[in-house]
Amino acid sequence: MSILQTNNVHYVYQSKYQKVHAVKGIDFCFEKGRFYAIVGKSGCGKSTFLSMLAGLDLPTDGEILYNGKSTAQLNRDEYRLRDISLICQSFNLFPLLTVEENVMYPMLLRKVKPDEAKAAAQQKLAEVGLEETYLKRLPAMLSGGEQQRVAIARALASDARIILADEPTGNLDTENSELVFSLLQRLAHEEGYCVIVVTHDLSISNKADQVLRLKDGALIE
């Protein structure tokens, strides 16, 4: 059964000077326990499509359903807080918070008790290979691969079952890219997450359960 479904989804950017049809009539069903890669040339609509899946934007036409309910009818702040986690290429860690505090942050927003949030943060960091010696470090003290693992741990701490990642390995070397991919793949296959990744990285797209190829805003494969 699909957890996320798009029905004839379109998105049009409209400015004073031009109109851009960025996404054109995408129909697709995403399921738990699967790893999806969205690929295509720059400007083909990948990030716009991911933004709509994340509830940051609503389709101009068509609808996106989360567990059968349109995102247009959801409280999208709650949807982004509790139901989806977004991992970005730039990591988006808080520079003045420690590794542990960064991972605790989404749990504190959900009113989890600080002691419980701290214990859960340590567990999630251990799951991505960051042990106790990393907890009190600031993001600037970490490598790019380590920062991305903190971002993944933070996504796991949100307890959302959908993970959306926009070029998560774009700033990483081959070794760290493989590590991040393996983590995301394990989350899908062993823990039942729905993982959707926008990527130019062939090592990820070639190993995904299913690849969505976009061209000029349309799904071609």
Side-chain angles (χ1 to χ4, degrees), residues 28 211-214 218-221:
F28 199 79
V211 177
L212 288 75
R213 299 185 188 279
L214 300 188
L219 180 62
I220 62 171
E221 185 177 335

Side-chain angles (χ1 to χ4, degrees), residues 28-217:
F28 199 79
C29 293
F30 297 95
E31 300 178 357
K32 292 181 181 178
R34 291 182 63 80
F35 187 106
Y36 300 90
I38 302 174
V39 302
K41 294 181 179 179
S42 295
C44 72
K46 302 187 302 296
S47 292
T48 300
F49 185 52
L50 197 75
S51 179
M52 288 189 287
L53 295 178
L56 296 170
D57 291 297
L58 291 174
T60 306
D61 197 12
E63 63 179 356
I64 295 174
L65 304 178
Y66 168 67
N67 283 335
K69 188 169 184 179
S70 172
T71 54
Q73 299 173 346
L74 297 176
N75 180 326
R76 286 188 290 135
D77 289 335
E78 286 292 311
Y79 172 66
R80 290 190 296 271
L81 180 63
R82 300 181 184 278
D83 300 312
I84 63 101
S85 286
L86 183 61
I87 301 170
C88 299
Q89 178 179 343
S90 57
F91 316 136
N92 286 347
L93 302 179
F94 297 106
L96 300 182
L97 297 184
T98 66
V99 164
E100 183 178 64
E101 290 166 343
N102 265 281
V103 179
M104 289 175 62
Y105 185 76
M107 292 182 280
L108 297 177
L109 287 179
R110 300 199 326 269
K111 310 300 182 185
V112 175
K113 293 179 180 179
D115 288 347
E116 294 178 13
K118 185 173 183 177
Q122 292 175 5
Q123 178 186 344
K124 299 304 181 185
L125 286 163
E127 288 177 11
V128 300
L130 297 176
E131 303 296 341
E132 187 174 350
T133 56
Y134 288 90
L135 298 180
K136 303 306 178 185
R137 298 185 191 182
L138 295 173
M141 302 165 68
L142 306 178
S143 69
E146 289 165 347
Q147 289 187 57
Q148 191 61 291
R149 279 187 274 168
V150 175
I152 293 173
R154 184 173 62 184
L156 299 181
S158 74
D159 209 28
R161 304 310 294 178
I162 301 173
I163 294 180
L164 307 176
D166 194 359
E167 296 287 358
T169 61
N171 288 327
L172 305 181
D173 59 25
T174 300
E175 182 180 354
N176 279 307
S177 294
E178 286 291 333
L179 177 60
V180 167
F181 166 74
S182 296
L183 285 169
L184 294 173
Q185 189 179 50
R186 177 176 61 80
L187 291 172
H189 294 164
E190 296 181 17
E191 300 189 33
Y193 285 79
C194 175
V195 179
I196 305 169
V197 177
V198 164
T199 185
H200 286 98
D201 190 336
L202 293 178
S203 68
I204 289 182
S205 61
N206 288 341
K207 296 177 183 177
D209 297 317
Q210 194 159 358
V211 177
L212 288 75
R213 299 185 188 279
L214 300 188
K215 182 178 180 180
D216 299 327

